[in-house]
Amino acid sequence: TLFRSPLPPSVSRKLRFFDMNNNEYEILRLPMGLSLSVEIMQIVCLCIGGDHAVVRENFFHPPGTLDVWVDNLRFVGQKEHVDIWNYQVERAASFCNVSFKPSATEYFSSNYTFIGVTFDHIRKDVSPSKTILDKLTTTQSEMPVRELEKLVGRLIFCSSVSRIPLVKFYFTLKYIRRIFNRVNRGDLDVDSVVKIPPSIISSLNFFIKIVSKPLRITKPTSSTITLFTDASK
């Protein structure tokens, strides 16, 4: 009962995959159970928000900027336009039987969190959300591969928020990638505990420290490009 929506052959072909025994499978029906697929959730929220690319002109959002990321919506504009947008969203959500958590809804806020990033319009800075920063634990001398992967994944996300070039941690990430490659080869599993060299521990802890600082947004005065080359084969 959770697979009720048939997919056309042109779509099914794009959803083919192989299992570990090299058997090929193809999804014929879209799963519709406790949660929507991400693509459908994105389209639903774009419609509710009045995105000009997916709704008719009489449902367009008012002048301003609309950002939608799956089930996260943000609208930036003049106060009177935000009021109109809020009314349109509530009306569209009611029509579609969609509900939003009251605790996760903010109006006319100058400090808010959107898709894991905290925006402070008073101080004019951005930073990874507190939820993410609280999960950046200090690196230990021994860690399960699973926890190491989570830590590195969060650091890479935070680096994009803080505009930290990953090349600054090139050798650290290259060492960790070798550990993950051992998992791919079957030499380790995700629950295996690996030893982390002191230099890598120091580098990761420094990484955690610098991504925890808010980034002040300023207008760029110049544009520079740094080219890095890799001499390894």
Side-chain angles (χ1 to χ4, degrees):
T1 59
L2 299 182
F3 295 84
R4 298 182 177 180
S5 302
L7 295 174
S10 60
V11 174
S12 293
R13 286 194 294 270
K14 298 177 182 178
L15 299 176
R16 290 175 179 173
F17 63 94
F18 292 87
D19 64 13
M20 297 181 64
N21 296 320
N22 209 35
N23 296 313
E24 183 179 357
Y25 294 90
E26 186 175 289
I27 295 179
L28 301 179
R29 294 178 177 269
L30 187 68
M32 298 287 288
L34 297 176
S35 60
L36 291 174
S37 69
V38 176
E39 293 80 6
I40 290 180
M41 179 74 79
Q42 176 79 13
I43 294 174
V44 168
C45 288
L46 284 170
C47 292
I48 291 175
D51 186 89
H52 294 189
V54 298
V55 300
R56 294 181 178 178
E57 187 173 352
N58 54 319
F59 295 105
F60 280 4
H61 65 71
T65 302
L66 172 68
D67 296 302
V68 177
W69 184 261
V70 189
D71 59 347
N72 293 268
L73 291 85
R74 178 178 66 173
F75 185 79
V76 180
Q78 299 295 326
K79 183 179 184 301
E80 58 270 23
H81 295 152
V82 174
D83 282 329
I84 295 172
W85 182 75
N86 283 334
Y87 171 75
Q88 290 180 344
V89 167
E90 290 175 358
R91 184 180 62 179
S94 176
F95 180 79
C96 298
N97 293 321
V98 173
S99 61
F100 297 96
K101 291 182 181 179
S103 59
T105 304
E106 300 182 55
Y107 299 100
F108 307 113
S109 177
S110 58
N111 188 310
Y112 57 89
T113 298
F114 179 68
I115 57 174
V117 181
T118 298
F119 296 82
D120 190 329
H121 291 273
I122 301 300
R123 298 175 55 185
K124 297 186 184 302
D125 62 33
V126 295
S127 62
S129 68
K130 184 178 183 301
T131 302
I132 294 177
L133 292 178
D134 287 345
K135 294 178 180 179
L136 296 179
T137 57
T138 304
T139 311
Q140 306 297 320
S141 58
E142 294 185 352
M143 293 182 66
V145 174
R146 186 192 305 275
E147 296 304 316
L148 182 61
E149 183 181 27
K150 291 180 182 178
L151 174 62
V152 173
R154 289 173 182 139
L155 285 173
I156 291 176
F157 169 81
C158 292
S159 70
S160 64
V161 178
S162 304
R163 294 182 181 175
I164 298 171
L166 290 178
V167 71
K168 289 188 175 183
F169 299 91
Y170 175 79
F171 291 104
T172 299
L173 295 175
K174 188 171 185 176
Y175 180 87
I176 294 172
R177 186 184 64 183
R178 289 173 178 170
I179 295 176
F180 296 158
N181 285 340
R182 293 176 64 191
V183 176
N184 294 335
R185 293 195 303 267
D187 299 333
L188 298 172
D189 60 51
V190 293
D191 294 314
S192 298
V193 177
V194 294
K195 292 185 177 181
I196 311 297
S199 60
I200 303 299
I201 294 175
S202 176
S203 178
L204 288 175
N205 288 339
F206 178 67
F207 202 162
I208 293 172
K209 180 180 179 180
I210 61 177
V211 299
S212 300
K213 297 180 180 179
L215 172 68
R216 186 170 180 80
I217 303 300
T218 58
K219 292 183 178 180
T221 56
S222 62
S223 178
T224 60
I225 297 176
T226 303
L227 178 64
F228 295 91
T229 59
D230 187 354
S232 62
K233 295 182 179 180

